[in-house]
């Protein structure tokens, strides 16, 4: 991230730490189904993307995925490949939406795009692992949970952005 002010780099690093903390906390919460979680670590990913841009958003996402996988003991396993692959595709599509449409999508819209991309990619990668097209019967459930989680994460990011703006935390790079 050459050419990036040190304060922005440090803050992006803090967001990567926040993503990991939220990821680890969420891993301890029981889930109704194995793949279902809110994706709290994505708060930091979307914040980094909205405030510091594509490179910071991708960096925070990559740290969350790889270090989170290491901490969870799943690095390289099927759950890591499916979740991590979906996370990278999600980050890429959020970046694409943000960079090609300027300010068309708010934090809520960007988050919903990322969440839906994550869900569809996760199903596709699971299909590639097990080879049974019947897994796509879960698509409606995945889309609904993706929409709800993307909306909630986006609303939390929008609230955080408003708070950070009101305290001038975002000023000065």
């Amino acid at each position: 991230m050459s050419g990036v002010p040190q304060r922005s780099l440090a803050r992006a690093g803090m967001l990567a730490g926040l993503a990991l903390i939220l990821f680890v906390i969420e891993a301890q919460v029981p889930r109704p189904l194995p793949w279902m979680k809110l994706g709290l670590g994505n708060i930091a990913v979307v914040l980094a993307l909205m405030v510091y841009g594509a490179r910071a958003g991708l960096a925070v996402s990559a740290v969350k995925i790889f270090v989170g996988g290491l901490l969870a003991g799943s690095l390289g396993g099927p759950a890591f490949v499916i979740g991590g692959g979906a996370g990278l595709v999600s980050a890429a599509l959020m970046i694409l939406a943000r960079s090609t449409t300027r300010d068309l999508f708010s934090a809520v819209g960007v988050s919903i795009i990322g969440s839906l991309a994550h869900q569809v990619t996760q199903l596709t990668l699971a299909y590639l692992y097990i080879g049974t097209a019947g897994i796509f019967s879960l698509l409606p459930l995945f889309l609904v949970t993706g929409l709800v989680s993307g909306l909630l994460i986006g609303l939390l990011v929008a609230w955080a952005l408003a708070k950070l703006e009101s305290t001038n935390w975002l000023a000065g790079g």
Side-chain angles (χ1 to χ4, degrees):
M1 289 180 138
S2 64
V4 176
Q6 287 181 347
R7 182 177 294 180
S8 296
L9 185 59
R11 288 180 176 170
M14 289 190 313
L15 287 172
L18 174 63
L20 281 172
I21 290 167
L22 293 172
F23 177 88
V24 169
I25 289 170
E26 189 169 35
Q28 305 307 309
V29 176
R31 301 178 210 169
L33 294 169
W35 67 86
M36 260 190 198
K37 62 181 193 171
L38 191 54
L40 293 175
N42 292 322
I43 293 169
V45 173
V46 177
L47 267 171
L49 174 60
M50 300 300 287
V51 175
Y52 300 111
R55 289 186 348 193
L58 185 58
V60 170
S61 183
V63 166
K64 178 184 69 109
I65 291 166
F66 291 104
V67 178
L70 185 63
L71 292 173
S74 65
L75 197 62
F80 172 78
V81 172
I82 292 169
L88 291 175
V89 168
S90 169
L93 288 179
M94 288 189 294
I95 289 166
L96 183 66
R98 185 75 179 152
S99 63
T100 60
T101 61
R102 298 274 180 223
D103 293 326
L104 178 64
F105 294 107
S106 67
V108 174
V110 168
S111 177
I112 289 172
I113 288 167
S115 184
L116 292 174
H118 189 279
Q119 296 292 62
V120 171
T121 303
Q122 196 167 250
L123 266 182
T124 303
L125 292 173
Y127 165 73
L128 293 174
Y129 256 99
I130 63 173
T132 303
I135 195 153
F136 288 108
S137 67
L138 295 170
L139 185 60
L141 176 63
F142 270 54
L143 292 177
V144 168
T145 59
L147 182 62
V148 170
S149 64
L151 175 66
L152 292 173
I153 295 301
L155 289 171
L156 287 169
V157 170
W159 173 82
L161 285 170
K163 288 293 181 189
L164 292 173
E165 234 172 62
S166 72
T167 62
N168 287 330
W169 192 81
L170 298 175

